[in-house]
Amino acid sequence: MKKDYGIIFHVSLIFGDALAIILSFLTAYFVRTHLDQRPFYFESNPWQFLISMLSLLPVYLIILACFGLYKKSIFLNSSRWRESLRLFLASITGMMAIITCDFFFDLDLFPVRVMALYSAMACFILLCLFRGTVRIVRTFALKHSKNATLSAIIVGNHANTEYLADYISAFPESGFRLSGVVASAKYIPKDLRGCQYSSLKEALKRVQPDVVFQTDDKNSDYVYRQTLNRHLLYYYVPSSMALSSQVGELELIGSTPAIFVPVTPLAGNARFIKRLSDIILGGIALILAAVPMLAIWLAEKLSDPKSPAFYSEVRLSRYNQRFRIYKFRSMKMEYCGLSPEEAFVKMGRPGLIKKYRKNGDKIDNDPRITRLGRFLRATSLDELPQLFNVLKGDISLVGPRALVPGELRHYGDRSLLLSVKSGLTGLAQVSGRRDISFDERRALDIYYIQNWSLGLDFRIILRTIGAVISHKGAK
């Protein structure tokens, strides 16, 4: 699945909420100092007031999140009244939290307490207005732009097939666009039978969907595997009996419950959070690494003036996308860009090929590597230029190892490995790096993909620092 417009919607909500909160603070200040006729006994400095309140803006946003106001269900299935009630309670709670911080930390945020009441009232009204505006824009985009909706295929001979086909066709604001149905004609509405396909294989070939809904349990393993191989979203619509034992995230598509079966927790808002952390932490790391990188560049040029200090090669990341990864050159120039097999044949030592592969893609005293390169690899300093890849968005700070295209044949679970961005470091690297086998590294990468969390990323980053310092597993 290569489109995720839900992220744009959620990010718009977050920025809209932040703007509404900021404007509510300014509105409260303006009302008290210009519209309220009672005299006030404090120095009027709106910019100082605004800066003080901005420091506590994250508190307000966290409270909105705690009230479930950024969950997908609050927009698709909840009534406007229910959302408004949550916004009202969140506005009051947020202002109480700020007053509490003001009291305990003596921040002197509110010159007079009535401004807190004005802020809470203005916040509730502005949040409702901003969110209503975002909804209108989203609905307009979904109704008038095919690129804003997810192309959907429904698979299965079940009454839910007919309902889902009708609902998705009638309500583009659901975020889906019906592109095909793989079912018997009796389960397809008469006016939609032009979308019927005889097999999932044919539908996938002609439609190129973003999401697949399965309404029965026939060939479910095959259907799920096909969606996984193509990096599509997969929903399983359970029977009423299966609902009591459902595994996954239950959503309502209209009035039909469907279980979203994610390949990885790293989807939706989580992708935005991870990207934001990559930009912040990657930027900090690049600043700290600037001097060491300059020193390594000088060492590379002094040891081999005619050869480039940097090296790039094509790797694979999320959704099988190709990109160029940057490193300090650690190999002799004549072997750069060659596969291990080609390099060993070129140097006249083809016998090393079998030893290299049998030993988990490593070999002691690899003859392709320069003397400086051995030091760079042992300390992982050769990978510092990959911080540019992180900032560009090619890879993440933490993730599975970036795959060389020719290595795909060695990975039975390559669809899983290519469902998230590769990483500069990862669970496999901090669990022994080259001291563990190829199969163990692959298993650790898959575990990371299926159990991702921001906390896990931070633990891996901390362990990476320790692994680099100790040179554990480096070859």
Side-chain angles (χ1 to χ4, degrees):
M1 205 280 292
K2 299 175 178 59
K3 297 187 294 184
D4 199 345
Y5 292 98
I7 293 179
I8 298 176
F9 177 51
H10 280 78
V11 171
S12 299
L13 281 174
I14 294 172
F15 279 102
D17 289 347
L19 183 58
I21 294 168
I22 293 170
L23 288 178
S24 71
F25 295 152
L26 292 176
T27 300
Y29 197 92
F30 178 80
V31 169
R32 181 62 188 93
T33 57
H34 291 78
L35 301 182
D36 194 330
Q37 298 300 319
R38 292 171 295 177
F40 54 88
Y41 305 97
F42 58 87
E43 183 181 353
S44 180
N45 190 338
W47 292 114
Q48 182 178 351
F49 172 75
L50 178 60
I51 292 172
S52 298
M53 298 306 294
L54 283 177
S55 64
L56 292 175
L57 178 62
V59 175
Y60 230 120
L61 294 175
I62 291 171
I63 289 173
L64 290 174
C66 291
F67 273 86
L69 287 162
Y70 297 119
K71 290 183 178 179
K72 185 187 296 186
S73 58
I74 196 67
F75 311 115
L76 296 181
N77 308 316
S78 294
S79 68
R80 300 296 181 267
W81 287 108
R82 184 175 300 177
E83 182 184 5
S84 297
L85 176 60
R86 293 192 185 190
L87 286 172
F88 177 75
L89 295 175
S91 299
I92 299 300
T93 304
M95 196 52 59
M96 291 174 62
I98 290 178
I99 291 173
T100 301
C101 292
D102 188 17
F103 176 78
F104 282 104
F105 298 103
D106 195 23
L107 301 176
D108 195 25
L109 297 175
F110 295 108
V112 288
R113 295 304 180 201
V114 71
M115 289 174 61
L117 177 61
Y118 292 158
S119 292
M121 294 170 58
C123 186
F124 169 65
I125 294 171
L126 291 172
L127 283 173
C128 290
L129 289 175
F130 275 66
R131 283 181 166 242
T133 302
V134 172
R135 283 180 181 278
I136 291 172
V137 172
R138 175 181 181 270
T139 300
F140 180 85
L142 292 174
K143 286 184 176 180
H144 295 86
S145 175
K146 287 187 176 181
N147 290 329
T149 55
L150 298 178
S151 173
I153 287 178
I154 305 173
V155 180
N157 293 315
H158 194 279
N160 283 329
T161 299
E162 184 175 6
Y163 172 80
L164 282 175
D166 260 336
Y167 178 79
I168 292 173
S169 298
F171 296 98
E173 56 266 35
S174 66
F176 302 106
R177 181 181 76 257
L178 185 65
S179 298
V181 183
V182 182
S184 299
K186 68 177 183 177
Y187 295 109
I188 306 175
K190 290 183 180 180
D191 58 330
L192 297 175
R193 289 180 182 173
C195 297
Q196 183 181 17
Y197 291 94
S198 59
S199 67
L200 177 62
K201 183 178 180 180
E202 179 190 7
L204 291 172
K205 183 178 180 180
R206 294 192 179 186
V207 173
Q208 296 182 344
D210 301 300
V211 56
V212 172
F213 291 93
Q214 184 170 10
T215 60
D216 62 14
D217 57 3
K218 185 178 180 181
N219 298 324
S220 57
D221 288 344
Y222 169 78
V223 175
Y224 180 67
R225 177 55 61 178
Q226 291 302 308
T227 63
L228 180 62
N229 289 343
R230 290 168 172 79
H231 309 294
L232 310 179
L233 298 179
Y234 174 77
Y235 285 85
Y236 172 66
V237 181
S239 64
S240 57
M241 292 183 64
L243 282 173
S244 60
S245 59
Q246 61 90 13
V247 176
E249 183 179 342
L250 186 63
E251 298 180 14
L252 289 177
I253 310 300
S255 61
T256 298
I259 297 174
F260 172 46
V261 184
V263 175
T264 171
L266 192 51
N269 291 341
R271 280 175 55 184
F272 170 73
I273 293 171
K274 185 172 175 65
R275 178 63 184 142
L276 184 62
S277 66
D278 283 341
I279 293 173
I280 295 173
L281 297 178
I284 294 172
L286 187 58
I287 293 172
L288 296 176
V291 174
M293 288 176 66
L294 178 60
I296 294 170
W297 180 83
L298 289 173
E300 289 271 15
K301 300 307 291 183
L302 289 173
S303 62
D304 191 353
K306 295 183 179 180
S307 299
F310 294 98
Y311 170 71
S312 68
E313 65 178 352
V314 175
R315 294 289 180 89
L316 299 177
S317 189
R318 187 176 62 199
Y319 304 147
N320 211 29
Q321 292 180 344
R322 292 172 179 255
F323 70 99
R324 285 202 165 271
I325 198 167
Y326 307 121
K327 288 187 173 186
F328 281 116
R329 184 176 57 84
S330 59
M331 284 193 180
K332 297 173 183 176
M333 195 60 205
E334 59 266 33
Y335 304 127
C336 287
L338 301 180
S339 68
E341 288 82 0
E342 292 170 337
F344 291 137
V345 169
K346 183 176 181 178
M347 69 176 64
R349 302 179 66 180
L352 293 177
I353 297 175
K354 184 176 180 181
K355 183 178 179 181
Y356 177 83
R357 292 301 184 191
K358 186 177 180 181
N359 202 34
D361 292 356
K362 62 187 179 185
I363 189 172
D364 293 333
N365 299 317
D366 193 324
R368 298 173 299 163
I369 302 173
T370 66
R371 185 175 301 176
L372 176 60
R374 295 186 196 283
F375 168 76
L376 295 178
R377 289 193 173 199
T379 56
S380 298
L381 293 174
D382 62 319
E383 298 182 357
L384 286 178
Q386 290 180 44
L387 289 170
F388 291 108
N389 289 113
V390 173
L391 294 181
K392 284 176 60 181
D394 296 329
I395 61 175
S396 290
L397 275 176
V398 182
R401 175 177 171 267
L403 301 178
V404 177
E407 291 180 337
L408 283 181
R409 63 182 181 273
H410 301 296
Y411 288 85
D413 298 301
R414 56 183 177 272
S415 298
L416 274 173
L417 291 168
L418 294 173
S419 63
V420 302
K421 284 184 180 179
S422 304
L424 191 155
T425 185
L427 187 59
Q429 290 92 316
V430 299
S431 299
R433 301 166 80 188
R434 289 290 185 172
D435 286 338
I436 60 178
S437 68
F438 174 86
D439 289 335
E440 288 173 320
R441 295 201 303 272
R442 182 176 61 184
L444 287 169
D445 281 338
I446 292 174
Y447 174 86
Y448 170 83
I449 292 168
Q450 296 179 327
N451 296 274
W452 175 87
S453 70
L454 198 59
L456 179 59
D457 273 1
F458 284 126
R459 290 196 296 272
I460 291 174
I461 290 172
L462 292 175
R463 290 178 61 185
T464 298
I465 297 172
V468 170
I469 293 173
S470 66
H471 300 178
K472 182 182 178 182
K475 297 288 184 184

PDB file of all heavy atoms in Angstrom, residues 44-72:
ATOM      1  N   SER A  44       0.292  44.720  30.523  1.00  0.00           N
ATOM      2  CA  SER A  44      -0.183  44.091  29.289  1.00  0.00           C
ATOM      3  C   SER A  44       0.998  43.768  28.376  1.00  0.00           C
ATOM      4  O   SER A  44       1.623  44.660  27.805  1.00  0.00           O
ATOM      5  CB  SER A  44      -1.164  45.024  28.571  1.00  0.00           C
ATOM      6  OG  SER A  44      -1.623  44.416  27.381  1.00  0.00           O
ATOM      7  N   ASN A  45       1.306  42.476  28.257  1.00  0.00           N
ATOM      8  CA  ASN A  45       2.401  42.012  27.391  1.00  0.00           C
ATOM      9  C   ASN A  45       1.945  40.722  26.697  1.00  0.00           C
ATOM     10  O   ASN A  45       2.243  39.619  27.139  1.00  0.00           O
ATOM     11  CB  ASN A  45       3.665  41.760  28.212  1.00  0.00           C
ATOM     12  CG  ASN A  45       4.881  41.516  27.314  1.00  0.00           C
ATOM     13  OD1 ASN A  45       4.749  41.141  26.148  1.00  0.00           O
ATOM     14  ND2 ASN A  45       6.063  41.738  27.862  1.00  0.00           N
ATOM     15  N   PRO A  46       1.177  40.843  25.607  1.00  0.00           N
ATOM     16  CA  PRO A  46       0.592  39.655  24.964  1.00  0.00           C
ATOM     17  C   PRO A  46       1.628  38.665  24.457  1.00  0.00           C
ATOM     18  O   PRO A  46       1.395  37.455  24.490  1.00  0.00           O
ATOM     19  CB  PRO A  46      -0.231  40.243  23.810  1.00  0.00           C
ATOM     20  CG  PRO A  46       0.345  41.606  23.571  1.00  0.00           C
ATOM     21  CD  PRO A  46       0.817  42.083  24.894  1.00  0.00           C
ATOM     22  N   TRP A  47       2.780  39.138  23.981  1.00  0.00           N
ATOM     23  CA  TRP A  47       3.783  38.206  23.437  1.00  0.00           C
ATOM     24  C   TRP A  47       4.398  37.347  24.536  1.00  0.00           C
ATOM     25  O   TRP A  47       4.620  36.145  24.331  1.00  0.00           O
ATOM     26  CB  TRP A  47       4.870  38.998  22.698  1.00  0.00           C
ATOM     27  CG  TRP A  47       4.348  39.643  21.456  1.00  0.00           C
ATOM     28  CD1 TRP A  47       4.224  40.970  21.213  1.00  0.00           C
ATOM     29  CD2 TRP A  47       3.856  38.974  20.288  1.00  0.00           C
ATOM     30  NE1 TRP A  47       3.675  41.190  19.974  1.00  0.00           N
ATOM     31  CE2 TRP A  47       3.444  39.980  19.377  1.00  0.00           C
ATOM     32  CE3 TRP A  47       3.706  37.641  19.932  1.00  0.00           C
ATOM     33  CZ2 TRP A  47       2.899  39.686  18.129  1.00  0.00           C
ATOM     34  CZ3 TRP A  47       3.162  37.338  18.688  1.00  0.00           C
ATOM     35  CH2 TRP A  47       2.773  38.346  17.809  1.00  0.00           C
ATOM     36  N   GLN A  48       4.667  37.926  25.680  1.00  0.00           N
ATOM     37  CA  GLN A  48       5.190  37.135  26.794  1.00  0.00           C
ATOM     38  C   GLN A  48       4.164  36.102  27.243  1.00  0.00           C
ATOM     39  O   GLN A  48       4.509  34.957  27.545  1.00  0.00           O
ATOM     40  CB  GLN A  48       5.557  38.052  27.960  1.00  0.00           C
ATOM     41  CG  GLN A  48       6.163  37.306  29.148  1.00  0.00           C
ATOM     42  CD  GLN A  48       6.564  38.252  30.270  1.00  0.00           C
ATOM     43  OE1 GLN A  48       6.543  39.468  30.108  1.00  0.00           O
ATOM     44  NE2 GLN A  48       6.930  37.684  31.409  1.00  0.00           N
ATOM     45  N   PHE A  49       2.888  36.503  27.268  1.00  0.00           N
ATOM     46  CA  PHE A  49       1.822  35.574  27.629  1.00  0.00           C
ATOM     47  C   PHE A  49       1.748  34.423  26.632  1.00  0.00           C
ATOM     48  O   PHE A  49       1.658  33.247  27.000  1.00  0.00           O
ATOM     49  CB  PHE A  49       0.488  36.329  27.676  1.00  0.00           C
ATOM     50  CG  PHE A  49      -0.713  35.446  27.855  1.00  0.00           C
ATOM     51  CD1 PHE A  49      -0.997  34.875  29.081  1.00  0.00           C
ATOM     52  CD2 PHE A  49      -1.557  35.181  26.786  1.00  0.00           C
ATOM     53  CE1 PHE A  49      -2.106  34.055  29.246  1.00  0.00           C
ATOM     54  CE2 PHE A  49      -2.655  34.361  26.936  1.00  0.00           C
ATOM     55  CZ  PHE A  49      -2.943  33.806  28.171  1.00  0.00           C
ATOM     56  N   LEU A  50       1.822  34.741  25.333  1.00  0.00           N
ATOM     57  CA  LEU A  50       1.723  33.711  24.297  1.00  0.00           C
ATOM     58  C   LEU A  50       2.886  32.736  24.374  1.00  0.00           C
ATOM     59  O   LEU A  50       2.696  31.512  24.291  1.00  0.00           O
ATOM     60  CB  LEU A  50       1.684  34.366  22.914  1.00  0.00           C
ATOM     61  CG  LEU A  50       1.617  33.401  21.715  1.00  0.00           C
ATOM     62  CD1 LEU A  50       0.371  32.541  21.790  1.00  0.00           C
ATOM     63  CD2 LEU A  50       1.667  34.183  20.405  1.00  0.00           C
ATOM     64  N   ILE A  51       4.100  33.243  24.560  1.00  0.00           N
ATOM     65  CA  ILE A  51       5.271  32.371  24.641  1.00  0.00           C
ATOM     66  C   ILE A  51       5.169  31.444  25.839  1.00  0.00           C
ATOM     67  O   ILE A  51       5.500  30.243  25.768  1.00  0.00           O
ATOM     68  CB  ILE A  51       6.563  33.220  24.710  1.00  0.00           C
ATOM     69  CG1 ILE A  51       6.778  33.948  23.377  1.00  0.00           C
ATOM     70  CG2 ILE A  51       7.766  32.350  25.048  1.00  0.00           C
ATOM     71  CD1 ILE A  51       7.903  34.963  23.399  1.00  0.00           C
ATOM     72  N   SER A  52       4.680  31.959  26.953  1.00  0.00           N
ATOM     73  CA  SER A  52       4.512  31.127  28.151  1.00  0.00           C
ATOM     74  C   SER A  52       3.500  30.023  27.904  1.00  0.00           C
ATOM     75  O   SER A  52       3.708  28.863  28.296  1.00  0.00           O
ATOM     76  CB  SER A  52       4.060  31.994  29.329  1.00  0.00           C
ATOM     77  OG  SER A  52       5.025  32.977  29.635  1.00  0.00           O
ATOM     78  N   MET A  53       2.401  30.342  27.229  1.00  0.00           N
ATOM     79  CA  MET A  53       1.375  29.342  26.975  1.00  0.00           C
ATOM     80  C   MET A  53       1.825  28.315  25.938  1.00  0.00           C
ATOM     81  O   MET A  53       1.459  27.147  26.015  1.00  0.00           O
ATOM     82  CB  MET A  53       0.090  30.027  26.508  1.00  0.00           C
ATOM     83  CG  MET A  53      -0.533  30.986  27.531  1.00  0.00           C
ATOM     84  SD  MET A  53      -0.834  30.217  29.147  1.00  0.00           S
ATOM     85  CE  MET A  53      -2.078  29.035  28.714  1.00  0.00           C
ATOM     86  N   LEU A  54       2.627  28.750  24.953  1.00  0.00           N
ATOM     87  CA  LEU A  54       3.118  27.823  23.931  1.00  0.00           C
ATOM     88  C   LEU A  54       3.964  26.708  24.547  1.00  0.00           C
ATOM     89  O   LEU A  54       3.999  25.589  24.038  1.00  0.00           O
ATOM     90  CB  LEU A  54       3.934  28.577  22.880  1.00  0.00           C
ATOM     91  CG  LEU A  54       3.147  29.373  21.839  1.00  0.00           C
ATOM     92  CD1 LEU A  54       4.099  30.114  20.916  1.00  0.00           C
ATOM     93  CD2 LEU A  54       2.243  28.455  21.040  1.00  0.00           C
ATOM     94  N   SER A  55       4.656  27.012  25.636  1.00  0.00           N
ATOM     95  CA  SER A  55       5.489  25.997  26.282  1.00  0.00           C
ATOM     96  C   SER A  55       4.663  24.835  26.821  1.00  0.00           C
ATOM     97  O   SER A  55       5.180  23.734  27.008  1.00  0.00           O
ATOM     98  CB  SER A  55       6.303  26.639  27.416  1.00  0.00           C
ATOM     99  OG  SER A  55       5.434  27.118  28.433  1.00  0.00           O
ATOM    100  N   LEU A  56       3.374  25.087  27.078  1.00  0.00           N
ATOM    101  CA  LEU A  56       2.498  24.042  27.600  1.00  0.00           C
ATOM    102  C   LEU A  56       1.527  23.506  26.544  1.00  0.00           C
ATOM    103  O   LEU A  56       0.635  22.723  26.864  1.00  0.00           O
ATOM    104  CB  LEU A  56       1.699  24.575  28.800  1.00  0.00           C
ATOM    105  CG  LEU A  56       2.544  24.873  30.046  1.00  0.00           C
ATOM    106  CD1 LEU A  56       1.685  25.517  31.127  1.00  0.00           C
ATOM    107  CD2 LEU A  56       3.204  23.608  30.578  1.00  0.00           C
ATOM    108  N   LEU A  57       1.717  23.913  25.283  1.00  0.00           N
ATOM    109  CA  LEU A  57       0.867  23.409  24.205  1.00  0.00           C
ATOM    110  C   LEU A  57       0.899  21.884  24.091  1.00  0.00           C
ATOM    111  O   LEU A  57      -0.150  21.256  23.901  1.00  0.00           O
ATOM    112  CB  LEU A  57       1.276  24.058  22.881  1.00  0.00           C
ATOM    113  CG  LEU A  57       0.527  23.608  21.629  1.00  0.00           C
ATOM    114  CD1 LEU A  57      -0.967  23.934  21.746  1.00  0.00           C
ATOM    115  CD2 LEU A  57       1.114  24.265  20.379  1.00  0.00           C
ATOM    116  N   PRO A  58       2.086  21.232  24.199  1.00  0.00           N
ATOM    117  CA  PRO A  58       2.096  19.763  24.124  1.00  0.00           C
ATOM    118  C   PRO A  58       1.213  19.098  25.177  1.00  0.00           C
ATOM    119  O   PRO A  58       0.642  18.025  24.916  1.00  0.00           O
ATOM    120  CB  PRO A  58       3.584  19.415  24.338  1.00  0.00           C
ATOM    121  CG  PRO A  58       4.325  20.628  23.894  1.00  0.00           C
ATOM    122  CD  PRO A  58       3.456  21.782  24.288  1.00  0.00           C
ATOM    123  N   VAL A  59       1.087  19.701  26.355  1.00  0.00           N
ATOM    124  CA  VAL A  59       0.224  19.137  27.399  1.00  0.00           C
ATOM    125  C   VAL A  59      -1.211  19.066  26.900  1.00  0.00           C
ATOM    126  O   VAL A  59      -1.903  18.050  27.066  1.00  0.00           O
ATOM    127  CB  VAL A  59       0.312  19.989  28.690  1.00  0.00           C
ATOM    128  CG1 VAL A  59      -0.684  19.476  29.726  1.00  0.00           C
ATOM    129  CG2 VAL A  59       1.725  19.977  29.242  1.00  0.00           C
ATOM    130  N   TYR A  60      -1.666  20.128  26.265  1.00  0.00           N
ATOM    131  CA  TYR A  60      -3.028  20.191  25.745  1.00  0.00           C
ATOM    132  C   TYR A  60      -3.245  19.112  24.677  1.00  0.00           C
ATOM    133  O   TYR A  60      -4.260  18.405  24.658  1.00  0.00           O
ATOM    134  CB  TYR A  60      -3.296  21.567  25.152  1.00  0.00           C
ATOM    135  CG  TYR A  60      -4.581  22.209  25.636  1.00  0.00           C
ATOM    136  CD1 TYR A  60      -4.565  23.421  26.305  1.00  0.00           C
ATOM    137  CD2 TYR A  60      -5.806  21.609  25.404  1.00  0.00           C
ATOM    138  CE1 TYR A  60      -5.742  24.023  26.748  1.00  0.00           C
ATOM    139  CE2 TYR A  60      -6.977  22.197  25.840  1.00  0.00           C
ATOM    140  CZ  TYR A  60      -6.938  23.401  26.512  1.00  0.00           C
ATOM    141  OH  TYR A  60      -8.106  23.985  26.941  1.00  0.00           O
ATOM    142  N   LEU A  61      -2.286  18.965  23.756  1.00  0.00           N
ATOM    143  CA  LEU A  61      -2.416  17.990  22.674  1.00  0.00           C
ATOM    144  C   LEU A  61      -2.417  16.565  23.212  1.00  0.00           C
ATOM    145  O   LEU A  61      -3.152  15.695  22.713  1.00  0.00           O
ATOM    146  CB  LEU A  61      -1.286  18.179  21.662  1.00  0.00           C
ATOM    147  CG  LEU A  61      -1.311  19.496  20.872  1.00  0.00           C
ATOM    148  CD1 LEU A  61      -0.080  19.603  19.990  1.00  0.00           C
ATOM    149  CD2 LEU A  61      -2.577  19.593  20.032  1.00  0.00           C
ATOM    150  N   ILE A  62      -1.604  16.305  24.230  1.00  0.00           N
ATOM    151  CA  ILE A  62      -1.579  14.968  24.844  1.00  0.00           C
ATOM    152  C   ILE A  62      -2.923  14.656  25.484  1.00  0.00           C
ATOM    153  O   ILE A  62      -3.427  13.524  25.398  1.00  0.00           O
ATOM    154  CB  ILE A  62      -0.436  14.876  25.875  1.00  0.00           C
ATOM    155  CG1 ILE A  62       0.925  14.899  25.162  1.00  0.00           C
ATOM    156  CG2 ILE A  62      -0.564  13.616  26.727  1.00  0.00           C
ATOM    157  CD1 ILE A  62       2.113  15.018  26.093  1.00  0.00           C
ATOM    158  N   ILE A  63      -3.523  15.646  26.112  1.00  0.00           N
ATOM    159  CA  ILE A  63      -4.843  15.436  26.730  1.00  0.00           C
ATOM    160  C   ILE A  63      -5.891  15.139  25.664  1.00  0.00           C
ATOM    161  O   ILE A  63      -6.743  14.253  25.837  1.00  0.00           O
ATOM    162  CB  ILE A  63      -5.229  16.668  27.575  1.00  0.00           C
ATOM    163  CG1 ILE A  63      -4.350  16.715  28.831  1.00  0.00           C
ATOM    164  CG2 ILE A  63      -6.710  16.634  27.953  1.00  0.00           C
ATOM    165  CD1 ILE A  63      -4.513  17.955  29.657  1.00  0.00           C
ATOM    166  N   LEU A  64      -5.848  15.841  24.529  1.00  0.00           N
ATOM    167  CA  LEU A  64      -6.765  15.535  23.429  1.00  0.00           C
ATOM    168  C   LEU A  64      -6.592  14.101  22.960  1.00  0.00           C
ATOM    169  O   LEU A  64      -7.574  13.391  22.691  1.00  0.00           O
ATOM    170  CB  LEU A  64      -6.523  16.501  22.268  1.00  0.00           C
ATOM    171  CG  LEU A  64      -6.948  17.961  22.469  1.00  0.00           C
ATOM    172  CD1 LEU A  64      -6.492  18.806  21.283  1.00  0.00           C
ATOM    173  CD2 LEU A  64      -8.454  18.077  22.644  1.00  0.00           C
ATOM    174  N   ALA A  65      -5.330  13.654  22.876  1.00  0.00           N
ATOM    175  CA  ALA A  65      -5.068  12.272  22.466  1.00  0.00           C
ATOM    176  C   ALA A  65      -5.598  11.281  23.505  1.00  0.00           C
ATOM    177  O   ALA A  65      -6.149  10.231  23.152  1.00  0.00           O
ATOM    178  CB  ALA A  65      -3.572  12.070  22.250  1.00  0.00           C
ATOM    179  N   CYS A  66      -5.448  11.615  24.790  1.00  0.00           N
ATOM    180  CA  CYS A  66      -5.943  10.729  25.855  1.00  0.00           C
ATOM    181  C   CYS A  66      -7.457  10.592  25.814  1.00  0.00           C
ATOM    182  O   CYS A  66      -8.005   9.560  26.257  1.00  0.00           O
ATOM    183  CB  CYS A  66      -5.497  11.254  27.220  1.00  0.00           C
ATOM    184  SG  CYS A  66      -3.723  11.119  27.533  1.00  0.00           S
ATOM    185  N   PHE A  67      -8.154  11.596  25.304  1.00  0.00           N
ATOM    186  CA  PHE A  67      -9.605  11.525  25.168  1.00  0.00           C
ATOM    187  C   PHE A  67     -10.024  10.819  23.874  1.00  0.00           C
ATOM    188  O   PHE A  67     -11.202  10.793  23.526  1.00  0.00           O
ATOM    189  CB  PHE A  67     -10.217  12.928  25.209  1.00  0.00           C
ATOM    190  CG  PHE A  67     -10.517  13.420  26.601  1.00  0.00           C
ATOM    191  CD1 PHE A  67      -9.547  14.052  27.351  1.00  0.00           C
ATOM    192  CD2 PHE A  67     -11.761  13.213  27.168  1.00  0.00           C
ATOM    193  CE1 PHE A  67      -9.811  14.511  28.638  1.00  0.00           C
ATOM    194  CE2 PHE A  67     -12.046  13.659  28.453  1.00  0.00           C
ATOM    195  CZ  PHE A  67     -11.062  14.306  29.199  1.00  0.00           C
ATOM    196  N   GLY A  68      -9.047  10.226  23.173  1.00  0.00           N
ATOM    197  CA  GLY A  68      -9.345   9.465  21.965  1.00  0.00           C
ATOM    198  C   GLY A  68      -9.709  10.311  20.765  1.00  0.00           C
ATOM    199  O   GLY A  68     -10.339   9.816  19.823  1.00  0.00           O
ATOM    200  N   LEU A  69      -9.295  11.577  20.744  1.00  0.00           N
ATOM    201  CA  LEU A  69      -9.701  12.486  19.674  1.00  0.00           C
ATOM    202  C   LEU A  69      -8.820  12.399  18.434  1.00  0.00           C
ATOM    203  O   LEU A  69      -9.022  13.161  17.483  1.00  0.00           O
ATOM    204  CB  LEU A  69      -9.733  13.921  20.215  1.00  0.00           C
ATOM    205  CG  LEU A  69     -10.915  14.182  21.160  1.00  0.00           C
ATOM    206  CD1 LEU A  69     -10.673  15.428  22.006  1.00  0.00           C
ATOM    207  CD2 LEU A  69     -12.203  14.323  20.362  1.00  0.00           C
ATOM    208  N   TYR A  70      -7.849  11.486  18.445  1.00  0.00           N
ATOM    209  CA  TYR A  70      -7.049  11.253  17.249  1.00  0.00           C
ATOM    210  C   TYR A  70      -7.179   9.820  16.751  1.00  0.00           C
ATOM    211  O   TYR A  70      -6.446   9.401  15.853  1.00  0.00           O
ATOM    212  CB  TYR A  70      -5.572  11.593  17.498  1.00  0.00           C
ATOM    213  CG  TYR A  70      -5.363  13.051  17.811  1.00  0.00           C
ATOM    214  CD1 TYR A  70      -4.830  13.455  19.026  1.00  0.00           C
ATOM    215  CD2 TYR A  70      -5.733  14.030  16.896  1.00  0.00           C
ATOM    216  CE1 TYR A  70      -4.659  14.799  19.320  1.00  0.00           C
ATOM    217  CE2 TYR A  70      -5.569  15.370  17.178  1.00  0.00           C
ATOM    218  CZ  TYR A  70      -5.029  15.753  18.390  1.00  0.00           C
ATOM    219  OH  TYR A  70      -4.876  17.082  18.675  1.00  0.00           O
ATOM    220  N   LYS A  71      -8.100   9.067  17.323  1.00  0.00           N
ATOM    221  CA  LYS A  71      -8.342   7.710  16.853  1.00  0.00           C
ATOM    222  C   LYS A  71      -9.178   7.746  15.576  1.00  0.00           C
ATOM    223  O   LYS A  71     -10.040   8.607  15.414  1.00  0.00           O
ATOM    224  CB  LYS A  71      -9.067   6.893  17.914  1.00  0.00           C
ATOM    225  CG  LYS A  71      -8.212   6.550  19.129  1.00  0.00           C
ATOM    226  CD  LYS A  71      -8.990   5.672  20.095  1.00  0.00           C
ATOM    227  CE  LYS A  71      -8.120   5.275  21.298  1.00  0.00           C
ATOM    228  NZ  LYS A  71      -8.866   4.435  22.254  1.00  0.00           N
ATOM    229  N   LYS A  72      -8.935   6.769  14.697  1.00  0.00           N
ATOM    230  CA  LYS A  72      -9.684   6.709  13.456  1.00  0.00           C
ATOM    231  C   LYS A  72     -11.179   6.559  13.710  1.00  0.00           C
ATOM    232  O   LYS A  72     -12.011   7.142  13.009  1.00  0.00           O
ATOM    233  CB  LYS A  72      -9.184   5.536  12.612  1.00  0.00           C
ATOM    234  CG  LYS A  72      -9.818   5.468  11.231  1.00  0.00           C
ATOM    235  CD  LYS A  72      -9.430   4.197  10.506  1.00  0.00           C
ATOM    236  CE  LYS A  72      -7.953   4.125  10.236  1.00  0.00           C
ATOM    237  NZ  LYS A  72      -7.603   2.951   9.404  1.00  0.00           N
TER     238      LYS A  72
END
